Amino acid sequence: MAAYPFIAIEKKWQDYWEAHQTFRTPETPDPDKPKAYILDMFPYPSGAGLHVGHPEGYTATDILARYKRMQGVEVLHPMGWDAFGLPAEQYAIKTGTHPRKTTRRNIDNFRRQLKQLGFSYDWQREINTTDPDYYKWTQWIFLKLHEKGLAYQAEIPVWWCPALGTVLANEEVIDGKSERGGHPCVRRPLRQWMLRITAYADRLLEGLDDLDWPESTKQEQRNWIGRSEGANIEFPVDGLEGETIQVYTTRPDTIFGATYMVLAPEHALVSEVTTPDQQEAVEQYQQEAAQKSELERTELQKDKSGVFTGGYAINPATEERIPIYVADYVLASYGTGAIMAVPAHDGRDYEFAKRYDLEIRPVVEGGNVRQEAFTGEGPHINSANDDVSLNGLGVEEANERIIAWLEAHGHGEGHVNYKLRDWLFSRQRYWGEPFPVVFVDGEAQPLPEDALPVTLPELDTYEPGDSPAGPLAEVKDWVHTIDPETGKPAQRETNTMPQWAGSCWYYLRFIDPHNDEQLVDPEKEKYWMPVDMYVGGREHAVLHLLYARFWHKVLYDVGVVSTREPFQRLVHQGLILGETEYTRYLRADGTPVSADQVHAGIDTRTGEPVRARTVDPRHVTKEGDSYVLSDDRSIRVDARAHKMSKSRGNVVNPDDVIKTYGADSLRLYEMFMGPLEQVKPWSTSGVDGVHRFLNRVWRLLVDEESDALRAAAAEPSKEQLRALHLLIQKVTEDIEGLRFNTAIAAMMEFINKAYKWDAVPQAVAEPFVLLLGPFAPHIAEELWQRLGHEESLTYASWPVFEEQYLQHDEVEIAVQVNGKVRGTVAVAPDAPKDEVLAAARADENVARYLADATVQREIYVPGRIVNFVANGSA
RNA sequence: GCGAAAGUGGCGGAAUUGGUAGACGCGCUGGAUUUAGGAUCCAGUGGGCUAACACCCGUGGGGGUUCGAGUCCCCCCUUUCGCACCA
């Protein structure tokens, strides 16, 4: 018997939904109805198409959206494309194809794939960040940012990537290489647009508290913002009148223990404080530091290096002369790029002081500074001058007192510092939003609103030049324009915005996608915002989610939005890995090597490289905690599921899965694999399993021979109603808790039970089909229709479970003797305690244990358990 | 190094407030059906010991609390994911 006709069914219902605009969200929703804005992170439409990771989150949100619709909730569930970005441009450089063309083709493919999966998006609201009608508003937001002084230009050292021909943001460069492509990057000062996200640091921090987000994601954002409280302190340079070194410290209370200072190699004052005889050594050190990559600097962190500058500073608290060093363990990018070193109470300073034999002076009691730095709390010692004393104070009081003293004497002030830095907002690319800015006499002028959108011109070549000006600089008749305000000749900004720009506010445009008067209608915004459920990958935990929150807060200040936060609830779907692979290792001569002797492709005993071979799972046996070859148990193999990648060849293509098993099976499997948020390996036989389940559902209700409906007109039995209502309760609660895997398991259990019935009454079949609907909508629609309904089940009422049907005549209760189960008894749920205990004692096996024992205690938890605590039992 | 999460059968994973560990699925075994294969249906499937009942052991390891612990507490091990000289 072949599978149920899923190909025909899925096509039929996708066409039906399209023709009937089933999932269209009304322009003006019913204000009295509850609403749910259920949003997926929109994808970048890559040339490779959808991978199986996409439908995971999308299926979860689709189940929610369909479930809510059936509960009479107004649902907004849209989809769009984050379509600006490098790959299309790089493809253009290679082939000369316009990125617009590539982008359109990729989007068409993505849309086709998503429609094939039966997701209930309102396609009328589809948006595309590369559409001028869309990016007009991205530009409009930039004007607002500029107006509020939040967009500015700065000449700063930035990461320039020669291979990509662009500047990248700090967060797009990892270990000195581009996040995408792994090309080497160098630091280089350039004029750039910056967004003053730091002005919102505190609000971005505080806003996190009330969000229903994963705690780890909130923590990541907090770490990224990196707020710390401390003080900026001025240390005069000895012998240089009026010159001071400013340091930032979170422990101003330890200033009496500051026995030396350290400047970052890039610090502006290095050359000034360096004495002639130290000049050569210092310059050499600076050069070495400049050549080290970020990676090398941190990798070698155990080995603190530095050079004495020959110069001295005055510690304002002790008025002692302290030496100034240059060392790369101080970062130019954090704080002021200079520190006061307190080796007695800071691990890094301690290490450095030990190496260069500098004074270690304890100022907090506790620990043993002969052995290690003491970073704990304790009363202060050795911390007094003629004016102020911290001695005897705890850390907090000492900080307060010393900051007051520093401020009173003009040596410094309390200061809040952030790790977060302003957002580098320009890219030297073509395929991005142009800035709505022109330069008149070299001055940046924002364009008036009616000049928007500033559209991209056509290019002759996409080749990035050697100059960081970007490809747009070559289009002379686009660059040279007239300032609409003054009528003067002007030049356009040739940089474009980064890919993050479009995704910072797309969730607002979905609310009112075709409005050409406003970014979003305020009435509609008030109705739909905030996003009630936002599902997307953990990789966006900081960047996208922080940038979007920043823009949202700016739009709040401008009055465009009514909520302080955009995404009330956030969930990350877990990564789907490839199928578990077993790997064995071989030496060059073909002799096997046990996996426990291999590390990073090297035989740890000989240092020889080994070859890796995949082994068929059938030839592997588990032994203890490890896996070995069945024919040679002395040879261990590695068992691991790897991230899907083209190079590994373990990528699963959703199109193939749909062809073999159908979209409903793919959706169901992705949800059945395990908890939504968990990382989990793909298994093709697992897809087989859920596919079999759908076949069973089909055959239960449709006769194989005649294709006729098999549901019976009979009245449902008590047992059938109980099974049904248990299922309704379970599925409802599990959807609410996003436990889709256990909801599916419960439906499978129900179907297994139903196979033992003579017939399935219509009154049981119908609610079941409705419960299945959000998970496997195509087969559910088909069955719903065959059950005699003319309309789609999309807006049918979600079944409600009734307590009365859940009652059981008898409950089975475990009977323990001294905590071990020795039998079970069946009793009425409301049976009195005495009766239950008597029944329990009567159980043959229980009686055997109690025969020679004295019962000291009887425990009865109604409906659950009986436990006899006895001594002297056999 | 710091922080977070997680360790349960051959595998993916279930187990309300502590109350019959292993739901459901995969895989495997046996049976039915079938010309055969496949598909389907039924039964079984943590380990040990059994003819069977029973019994013993079992949720990474060790201790503890409790009538009762996968679940709570303490110590340790492993894995994954963040962050990583942040002064």
Side-chain angles (χ1 to χ4, degrees):
Chain A
M1 156 69 201
Y4 77 98
F6 59 85
I7 294 173
I9 290 175
E10 291 181 359
K11 171 87 172 52
K12 168 180 166 184
W13 288 100
Q14 283 160 18
D15 291 348
Y16 175 97
W17 296 326
E18 179 116 25
H20 290 77
Q21 292 288 300
T22 306
F23 309 119
R24 188 152 184 185
T25 305
E27 273 305 307
T28 328
D30 185 342
D32 296 327
K33 275 195 189 171
K35 66 94 185 178
Y37 187 174
I38 298 167
L39 182 65
D40 293 297
M41 286 189 187
F42 68 162
Y44 173 77
S46 73
L50 230 51
H51 55 80
V52 291
H54 285 115
E56 191 191 10
Y58 299 166
T59 303
T61 53
D62 196 59
I63 290 169
L64 282 176
R66 287 175 178 272
Y67 164 72
K68 291 282 180 192
R69 282 190 200 100
M70 292 170 80
Q71 290 198 320
V73 173
E74 292 275 18
V75 170
L76 181 59
H77 186 46
M79 185 41 84
W81 320 106
D82 189 14
F84 274 128
L86 272 176
E89 184 159 350
Q90 279 173 315
Y91 186 73
I93 293 167
K94 241 193 288 175
T95 65
T97 318
H98 196 292
R100 191 185 298 124
K101 220 170 142 185
T102 313
T103 302
R104 189 178 303 137
R105 197 174 58 216
N106 291 349
I107 287 176
D108 286 345
N109 189 40
F110 262 67
R111 193 192 300 102
R112 174 190 65 79
Q113 291 186 300
L114 292 179
K115 286 192 174 178
Q116 244 179 42
L117 277 153
F119 293 135
S120 62
Y121 296 120
D122 177 358
W123 287 106
Q124 299 288 324
R125 291 171 186 259
E126 175 179 349
I127 59 180
N128 174 345
T129 54
T130 67
D131 183 344
D133 289 338
Y134 179 88
Y135 70 66
K136 168 182 173 178
W137 296 104
T138 312
Q139 292 171 339
W140 183 87
I141 296 170
F142 180 84
L143 291 180
K144 293 293 156 191
L145 287 158
H146 191 266
E147 203 177 295
K148 296 190 63 90
L150 295 167
Y152 64 97
Q153 294 183 90
E155 179 95 8
I156 52 153
V158 294
W159 286 107
W160 164 252
C161 181
L164 298 176
T166 184
V167 162
L168 295 170
N170 290 316
E171 46 272 28
E172 290 169 317
V173 180
I174 295 164
D175 300 333
K177 291 193 176 126
S178 64
E179 187 190 9
R180 292 208 176 156
H183 305 291
C185 303
V186 292
R187 300 286 280 177
R188 170 168 182 177
L190 282 177
R191 184 190 54 77
Q192 299 290 327
W193 282 102
M194 304 289 291
L195 295 188
R196 213 180 294 280
I197 189 171
T198 51
Y200 281 71
D202 276 329
R203 284 168 65 186
L204 288 168
L205 204 54
E206 287 156 16
L208 288 170
D209 294 340
D210 301 323
L211 295 179
D212 187 4
W213 285 22
E215 208 41 56
S216 62
T217 302
K218 289 201 217 178
Q219 201 50 45
E220 262 184 72
Q221 292 216 347
R222 288 192 189 105
N223 292 345
W224 190 263
I225 294 167
R227 184 183 199 273
S228 69
E229 287 179 15
N232 281 334
I233 306 176
E234 311 277 347
F235 283 64
V237 180
D238 187 38
L240 285 176
E241 199 58 42
E243 202 64 81
T244 65
I245 297 171
Q246 191 183 53
V247 303
Y248 171 73
T249 175
T250 55
R251 292 294 301 276
D253 62 304
T254 60
I255 189 169
F256 286 92
T259 53
Y260 67 99
M261 303 196 71
V262 184
L263 303 180
E266 299 86 351
H267 197 282
L269 286 179
V270 172
S271 56
E272 298 199 38
V273 302
T274 301
T275 56
D277 53 320
Q278 287 297 96
Q279 195 174 339
E280 200 185 321
V282 168
E283 280 175 6
Q284 197 192 333
Y285 185 80
Q286 284 180 302
Q287 269 180 23
E288 282 168 18
Q291 279 162 9
K292 277 192 213 172
S293 70
E294 203 92 328
L295 178 69
E296 286 169 318
R297 280 206 195 184
T298 47
E299 283 271 302
L300 300 171
Q301 63 181 268
K302 287 143 227 141
D303 195 19
K304 302 251 172 323
S305 69
V307 174
F308 179 44
T309 60
Y312 287 85
I314 307 294
N315 181 326
T318 62
E319 297 190 351
E320 287 172 342
R321 254 165 52 103
I322 55 173
I324 304 170
Y325 278 73
V326 174
D328 67 2
Y329 82 88
V330 171
L331 307 177
S333 50
Y334 185 77
T336 60
I339 61 158
M340 63 175 205
V342 186
H345 305 292
D346 180 283
R348 298 151 297 176
D349 297 345
Y350 186 86
E351 229 179 285
F352 190 81
K354 278 284 183 194
R355 176 160 175 186
Y356 293 98
D357 204 20
L358 295 157
E359 188 191 348
I360 298 170
R361 183 189 299 174
V363 292
V364 180
E365 205 169 84
N368 178 0
V369 299
R370 265 190 291 273
Q371 273 166 18
E372 58 180 357
F374 173 64
T375 53
E377 301 243 338
H380 283 67
I381 51 172
N382 303 329
S383 295
N385 58 27
D386 297 344
D387 225 31
V388 66
S389 171
L390 309 179
N391 289 333
L393 300 181
V395 171
E396 203 172 314
E397 295 160 292
N399 268 322
E400 275 170 35
R401 186 169 302 178
I402 195 68
I403 288 172
W405 182 81
L406 289 167
E407 286 178 355
H409 293 76
H411 295 312
E413 70 219 334
H415 183 76
V416 173
N417 196 53
Y418 301 93
K419 233 164 89 181
L420 180 72
R421 273 165 284 155
D422 279 343
W423 175 11
L424 173 58
F425 195 65
S426 23
R427 298 292 184 276
Q428 291 61 48
R429 310 296 327 163
Y430 170 70
W431 196 229
E433 298 88 346
F435 281 84
V437 167
V438 293
F439 293 90
V440 183
D441 304 327
E443 287 290 312
Q445 296 291 336
L447 290 168
E449 230 175 286
D450 59 21
L452 302 185
V454 178
T455 54
L456 285 166
E458 300 303 309
L459 285 194
D460 297 328
T461 167
Y462 301 94
E463 207 64 48
D466 296 330
S467 121
L472 286 175
E474 306 302 318
V475 195
K476 302 294 180 210
D477 56 348
W478 182 81
V479 173
H480 295 287
T481 181
I482 304 288
D483 176 24
E485 306 267 307
T486 59
K488 285 188 182 175
Q491 290 81 45
R492 292 189 191 276
E493 170 64 77
T494 59
N495 285 348
T496 52
M497 298 186 199
Q499 197 185 350
W500 308 108
S503 61
C504 269
W505 69 281
Y506 73 110
Y507 57 93
L508 293 171
R509 194 59 178 173
F510 280 135
I511 293 171
D512 196 9
H514 309 295
N515 192 333
D516 46 20
E517 302 293 316
Q518 286 169 301
L519 186 156
V520 58
D521 179 274
E523 286 300 311
K524 294 177 179 169
E525 186 277 333
K526 273 196 198 67
Y527 181 83
W528 286 112
M529 285 301 285
V531 173
D532 299 283
M533 174 59 80
Y534 193 28
V535 176
R538 190 162 277 117
E539 66 272 20
H540 297 111
V542 225
L543 303 180
H544 159 62
L545 287 166
L546 193 66
Y547 293 154
R549 292 181 59 224
F550 165 47
W551 278 34
H552 192 85
K553 286 179 185 300
V554 173
L555 291 174
Y556 177 82
D557 291 347
V558 174
V560 174
V561 298
S562 59
T563 63
R564 287 169 198 272
E565 289 286 339
F567 315 120
Q568 189 50 43
R569 176 141 194 230
L570 171 73
V571 169
H572 301 302
Q573 81 276 18
L575 203 63
I576 295 180
L577 305 174
E579 297 227 22
T580 303
E581 292 171 34
Y582 298 89
T583 312
R584 62 182 298 195
Y585 298 97
L586 300 170
R587 272 195 212 92
D589 61 9
T591 50
V593 186
S594 188
D596 48 334
Q597 273 144 354
V598 175
H599 182 73
I602 301 282
D603 186 330
T604 50
R605 296 166 306 175
T606 61
E608 236 184 294
V610 292
R611 282 178 296 160
R613 283 285 163 77
T614 304
V615 199
D616 191 292
R618 284 171 300 191
H619 300 145
V620 173
T621 311
K622 193 167 190 185
E623 196 166 82
D625 284 337
S626 45
Y627 296 85
V628 296
L629 289 178
S630 307
D631 345 340
D632 183 352
R633 299 191 166 227
S634 67
I635 302 300
R636 286 197 192 178
V637 299
D638 277 337
R640 261 198 78 162
H642 297 90
K643 206 167 158 173
M644 287 190 190
S645 68
K646 246 191 233 165
S647 57
R648 194 171 272 280
N650 61 349
V651 176
V652 178
N653 182 345
D655 282 351
D656 298 340
V657 180
I658 290 174
K659 227 173 275 163
T660 320
Y661 299 100
D664 282 337
S665 294
L666 174 58
R667 293 169 57 113
L668 211 54
Y669 175 64
E670 296 226 1
M671 294 299 98
F672 186 62
M673 291 171 84
L676 179 63
E677 302 201 47
Q678 195 168 301
V679 179
K680 34 203 181 286
W682 183 265
S683 151
T684 298
S685 52
V687 190
D688 233 354
V690 294
H691 183 64
R692 245 173 271 181
F693 162 67
L694 289 180
N695 274 315
R696 279 166 70 79
V697 171
W698 181 261
R699 283 197 308 267
L700 184 68
L701 298 174
V702 178
D703 189 88
E704 284 181 69
E705 299 299 314
S706 65
D707 200 40
L709 188 73
R710 276 161 42 95
E715 278 296 306
S717 71
K718 215 170 164 187
E719 185 210 341
Q720 289 169 333
L721 282 172
R722 185 175 131 82
L724 174 68
H725 282 264
L726 278 172
L727 182 68
I728 295 171
Q729 182 183 31
K730 177 76 178 152
V731 171
T732 307
E733 286 174 2
D734 281 352
I735 291 178
E736 294 280 351
L738 310 182
R739 293 180 298 269
F740 305 116
N741 53 329
T742 49
I744 295 166
M747 289 191 272
M748 289 174 167
E749 232 176 322
F750 176 85
I751 289 299
N752 290 345
K753 237 183 269 175
Y755 259 74
K756 301 197 165 58
W757 301 339
D758 295 333
V760 182
Q762 175 106 2
V764 172
E766 288 197 358
F768 172 78
V769 167
L770 293 178
L771 295 179
L772 181 65
F775 297 83
H778 308 89
I779 190 175
E781 287 275 24
E782 181 66 23
L783 290 172
W784 187 245
Q785 191 180 57
R786 286 172 183 238
L787 283 162
H789 300 273
E790 276 169 26
E791 301 254 302
S792 160
L793 54 64
T794 304
Y795 298 96
S797 288
W798 185 254
V800 178
F801 76 91
E802 287 176 50
E803 201 68 46
Q804 52 164 323
Y805 297 120
L806 301 184
Q807 300 311 324
H808 215 346
D809 296 343
E810 277 193 336
V811 286
E812 193 185 55
I813 289 182
V815 183
Q816 299 181 333
V817 178
N818 288 332
K820 289 190 190 252
V821 178
R822 298 300 179 188
T824 57
V825 289
V827 296
D830 54 353
K833 182 175 177 179
D834 293 350
E835 204 175 291
V836 176
L837 289 179
R841 284 169 183 278
D843 179 273
E844 201 182 318
N845 201 36
V846 174
R848 211 156 57 80
Y849 277 88
L850 293 181
D852 307 317
T854 319
V855 173
Q856 294 172 317
R857 214 174 138 188
E858 293 166 334
I859 289 152
Y860 172 53
V861 182
R864 291 213 178 276
I865 207 154
V866 170
N867 190 8
F868 294 110
V869 185
N871 62 8
S873 87

